[in-house]
Amino acid sequence: MHHYPDRTAWLQGGNARCIDPGPTPRRPWHVLLLGPPGVGKGTQAELIIESLGACHLSTGDVFRAAHHGCNGPVSPAMQEALGAMKRGELVSDATVVNLVRERVGCLCCAHGFLLDGFPRTRDQAEALDGMLAAAGTRLDAVINYTAAEEEILARVGGRRVCRRCKRGYHLDHKAPRTPGVCDACGGELYQRDDDRAEAVHTRLEAYRATARPVVEFYRAKGVLHEIDAHGSPGQVFEKTHAVLLAV
Ligand code: AP5
């Protein structure tokens, strides 16, 4: 089982360094996870890391860390980003690309990475391509998870997150032992602002409007793998694991 790496450098950016990155994996993976909101990218990222190592680089997590005041005062660009996120809209390409550029060290980290939530537009994909080329890093695989809309709505609607340690739960599929309380740290479970019905609708629209060109960008590069994300997290992980071990 792999050590879950510290993500301080990713979550805080700037000069922040990871405190305890743990042992370097024998094979550092460089993988992108694509797919609609709530399809299970974060859930799969946890399982991939447990089994294969790598660091979970989620752009959504960086915005949520800023929202919870983890990185000190919020800049005007970040304030705008947090407003867009709350409504379920995409944050502007310029803000997201700058945010990743400020953390470019994470793209050449010896632990490898699982990028989740970035890129979401063709322009972001091209910007990432430039950053990876400059860092001398090649993508091993891009995984595109798909699921029917009613399944996505059920997953997002039941999601709860721990305020303290950010662990994810689901009211039906991954319920905490005590309702409303995190099994791991005893923190309070809450529903993300953008998991409320109105914002979810906007997020799905944004996804439909921008996802295809990103998928086609990676298909043309020959690194795209489509995975049907129906089934339990373990079943989806089995498919993911098989794809990764074959690349
Ligand atoms: P982000 O945090 O990236 O959210 P997202 O893509 O909408 O994805 P989610 O975190 O909602 O879902 P997930 O696929 O990780 O699902 P999970 O594993 O939790 O982005 C949030 C916002 O930030 C965006 O809307 C935007 O505003 C902004 N943003 C971020 N990046 C941006 C970018 N690059 N450009 C512009 N804006 C950006 O699973 C969901 C639930 O289902 C959980 O409860 C889980 O337990 C359950 N579940 C998972 N798998 C299964 C399964 N197989 N069976 C049953 N239940 C399951």
Side-chain angles (χ1 to χ4, degrees):
M1 187 181 278
H2 280 272
H3 177 91
Y4 207 87
D6 174 46
R7 297 190 294 164
T8 306
W10 176 254
L11 292 178
Q12 294 183 9
N15 295 323
R17 292 281 164 272
C18 292
I19 302 153
D20 174 20
T24 314
R26 237 177 313 139
R27 175 171 184 184
W29 289 91
H30 303 106
V31 175
L32 302 191
L33 303 182
L34 305 180
V39 75
K41 303 178 294 292
T43 302
Q44 292 304 313
E46 270 186 37
L47 298 172
I48 296 168
I49 290 164
E50 258 178 40
S51 163
L52 301 174
C55 187
H56 184 198
L57 307 183
S58 152
T59 37
D61 284 350
V62 176
F63 293 129
R64 283 184 285 276
H67 175 69
H68 290 105
C70 304
N71 303 340
V74 175
S75 67
M78 186 55 92
Q79 234 150 25
E80 209 178 297
L82 295 179
M85 182 176 174
K86 189 170 177 178
R87 293 188 296 272
E89 295 162 10
L90 289 187
V91 173
S92 76
D93 284 343
T95 300
V96 185
V97 168
N98 278 339
L99 178 144
V100 176
R101 215 180 280 290
E102 281 168 13
R103 291 159 173 79
V104 76
C106 294
L107 299 180
C108 26
C109 173
H111 287 262
F113 60 77
L114 290 179
L115 255 178
D116 163 8
F118 179 86
R120 266 178 155 93
T121 64
R122 169 81 194 213
D123 283 357
Q124 291 181 17
E126 279 171 10
L128 175 64
D129 223 35
M131 287 187 248
L132 290 174
T137 307
R138 226 191 84 253
L139 289 176
D140 296 304
V142 176
I143 296 181
N144 185 34
Y145 292 109
T146 52
E149 196 159 310
E150 62 267 29
E151 178 64 23
I152 287 168
L153 293 173
R155 289 185 187 180
V156 172
R159 173 169 40 198
R160 296 294 180 272
V161 183
C162 174
R163 264 192 212 287
R164 202 182 296 158
C165 74
K166 315 298 174 217
R167 182 176 287 236
Y169 292 87
H170 191 281
L171 295 180
D172 304 323
H173 312 294
K174 197 182 167 193
R177 284 193 295 268
T178 309
V181 180
C182 176
D183 292 345
C185 76
E188 181 202 354
L189 303 187
Y190 78 107
Q191 184 174 39
R192 274 170 42 176
D193 283 342
D194 64 346
D195 278 352
R196 296 176 195 280
E198 261 175 46
V200 170
H201 182 75
T202 311
R203 283 162 70 197
L204 283 170
E205 295 265 290
Y207 177 77
R208 285 189 215 105
T210 58
R212 183 143 298 281
V214 178
V215 168
E216 295 312 326
F217 182 82
Y218 290 112
R219 197 191 307 280
K221 286 182 177 290
V223 287
L224 187 81
H225 302 267
E226 307 262 14
I227 292 186
D228 177 348
H230 292 96
S232 69
Q235 288 167 335
V236 179
F237 174 65
E238 269 176 37
K239 295 188 228 175
T240 307
H241 195 241
V243 161
L244 289 179
L245 291 190
V247 296

